Amino acid sequence: DIKNIILPRNKFSYKNNFGHMLLIAGSKSMCGASILSAKAAMRSGLGLIAVITDTDCKAHLFSQFPEAMVNEYEEFFPLIINKFNSICVGSGMKGIENMESILNKCYSAKISMILDAEAIQALASNPNLLKKIPANTILTPHIGEFEKLVNKKFENSIDRLQFAASFALKHKIIIVLKGSNTCVINSDGMQYFNTTGNQGMATAGSGDVLAGIIGSLLAQSYQPIHAAIIGVYIHGLSGDLALKKQSYESMIASDISENLGDAFKELEPKELF
C-alpha cells in the first residue's frame, strides 16, 4: 500500500522542488523537540526548513543542525508565511505565549498543516480554535491528548476509535491516534491501522520525530491523508530497524531518525542501491 503512493523523485530536481517547511517548535526547557522534529523532516526528503523557536534554543539548533534556518518567536508575526509549503506547530512548545495568535496566523495562510503536542492542548482549552480549524489539518495526539481534546474518557479502544472517527468527520480533520498499531483516521471517517513500530518507541521525543516526518511529506506535495499514512509507516519502520541495534529499553528518539534512510530504502527499487 505504501509503495503505491510514494512519489518519484526526478533526477533533475533541485531543493525547491521538494518543499519548504515552517516548523514552529521548542521552548526554553524543550529545545530538543525542535531539533528532533527538524532533523526528521530533512531526513524525510524535505528541500528546505525554517524553524521558529525560543531564543535560548537558537544556538543549540545552529550547532546541532546547520541545515536549518532559525528565527525566534518574536520574529514569527512579521514573517510572510504563504511562501511555505507546509506548517508544523506545537512540538515542545510548553509555556509559549500567544499560542492562539500563532495558530490563527497559521490558519489564515491556508497551507497544509500538522498540529502536535501543545498545539493540540491549545485546541482542547479553546473550542473556538477547534471550530475554525482548516479542513484536512492533521492532528497527532496520543491517547491522553485525544481524551483531553474531546473532554471524554473511554472504557475501551473500540469506543475511542468510533468516537475519533465521528470527531474527524465532524471537523473535517485527519487524526493520527498514536499508540500500538497507530490509527490514521481520514476526514471522511475511514480508519487505517499501521503495521510497523514497537514498544521501544514509547519514549520522549518519538512524537516530535513523527511530526517532522509528516510535515516534510506535506511540503513535498503529498495529499494530507497520504502524508499521514506514509509518515506513520516510515516512523514505525525506522523504529523497527533501530531495534536491531538497540533494545526496547535502550531506544531513544534519535535512534528512529538515524534509521530513516534505511526505512526509505525499503520502499525503493532494490537496483537503486
Side-chain angles (χ1 to χ4, degrees), residues 25-28 31 52-58 71-73 96:
S27 60
K28 187 173 183 178
C31 291
I52 301 290
T53 193
D54 189 85
T55 304
D56 291 338
C57 298
K58 282 185 72 174
N71 291 301
E72 301 169 20
Y73 282 112
I96 297 298

Side-chain angles (χ1 to χ4, degrees), residues 2-272:
I2 301 298
K3 285 182 178 179
N4 289 335
I5 55 176
I6 291 286
L7 298 177
R9 291 173 74 89
N10 190 307
K11 177 181 178 180
F12 299 100
S13 300
Y14 74 118
K15 61 185 178 183
N16 287 10
N17 295 127
F18 297 120
H20 194 175
M21 172 177 154
L22 176 63
L23 173 65
I24 307 171
S27 60
K28 187 173 183 178
S29 62
M30 292 184 172
C31 291
S34 58
I35 297 169
L36 287 166
S37 192
K39 282 187 175 181
M42 291 299 289
R43 289 289 189 190
S44 300
L46 184 66
L48 304 104
I49 189 165
V51 182
I52 301 290
T53 193
D54 189 85
T55 304
D56 291 338
C57 298
K58 282 185 72 174
H60 298 293
L61 261 163
F62 281 132
S63 63
Q64 296 191 41
F65 191 49
E67 294 86 353
M69 295 170 281
V70 186
N71 291 301
E72 301 169 20
Y73 282 112
E74 63 184 31
E75 299 173 277
F76 169 69
F77 291 103
L79 186 67
I80 298 172
I81 61 175
N82 293 82
K83 65 181 179 180
F84 297 101
N85 303 109
S86 74
I87 303 174
C88 180
V89 191
S91 300
M93 292 179 68
K94 187 173 183 179
I96 297 298
E97 298 178 357
N98 300 322
M99 180 64 83
E100 181 177 357
S101 299
I102 289 171
L103 286 176
N104 278 325
K105 178 167 182 175
C106 292
Y107 285 3
S108 67
K110 295 180 171 59
I111 296 168
S112 295
M113 183 164 48
I114 172 172
L115 305 184
D116 184 43
E118 274 68 40
I120 297 173
Q121 302 275 6
L123 298 185
S125 59
N126 189 338
N128 194 44
L129 283 174
L130 182 60
K131 188 183 300 182
K132 296 187 296 184
I133 195 167
N136 289 313
T137 295
I138 300 172
L139 272 59
T140 55
H142 56 59
I143 291 169
E145 289 170 335
F146 179 72
E147 292 189 342
K148 185 174 181 180
L149 174 66
V150 301
N151 193 29
K152 184 177 176 65
K153 292 286 185 181
F154 299 92
E155 294 185 3
N156 56 67
S157 59
I158 299 297
D159 289 346
R160 186 184 301 110
L161 287 169
Q162 288 178 340
F163 190 92
S166 62
F167 190 82
L169 184 62
K170 175 182 177 181
H171 295 285
K172 299 300 179 188
I173 58 176
I174 296 168
I175 299 173
V176 176
L177 191 55
K178 297 183 292 193
S180 181
N181 298 109
T182 290
C183 183
V184 178
I185 306 167
N186 198 8
S187 54
D188 62 2
M190 179 70 74
Q191 300 179 7
Y192 302 83
F193 292 90
N194 187 44
T195 57
T196 59
N198 60 78
Q199 54 266 48
M201 299 173 70
T203 184
S206 179
D208 304 326
V209 172
L210 176 61
I213 296 169
I214 296 175
S216 172
L217 295 170
L218 283 175
Q220 294 171 65
S221 300
Y222 281 91
Q223 296 176 34
I225 184 59
H226 289 170
I229 292 170
I230 296 169
V232 166
Y233 181 87
I234 285 287
H235 180 254
L237 180 56
S238 299
D240 289 340
L241 293 169
L243 187 59
K244 295 180 179 180
K245 308 165 193 174
Q246 299 292 337
S247 67
Y248 293 135
E249 294 82 3
S250 68
M251 194 184 303
I252 58 175
S254 296
D255 297 325
I256 302 171
S257 287
E258 289 171 7
N259 284 275
L260 281 167
D262 287 334
F264 275 101
K265 279 184 178 181
E266 292 207 7
L267 300 178
E268 299 286 352
K270 300 298 181 186
E271 60 267 21
L272 291 181

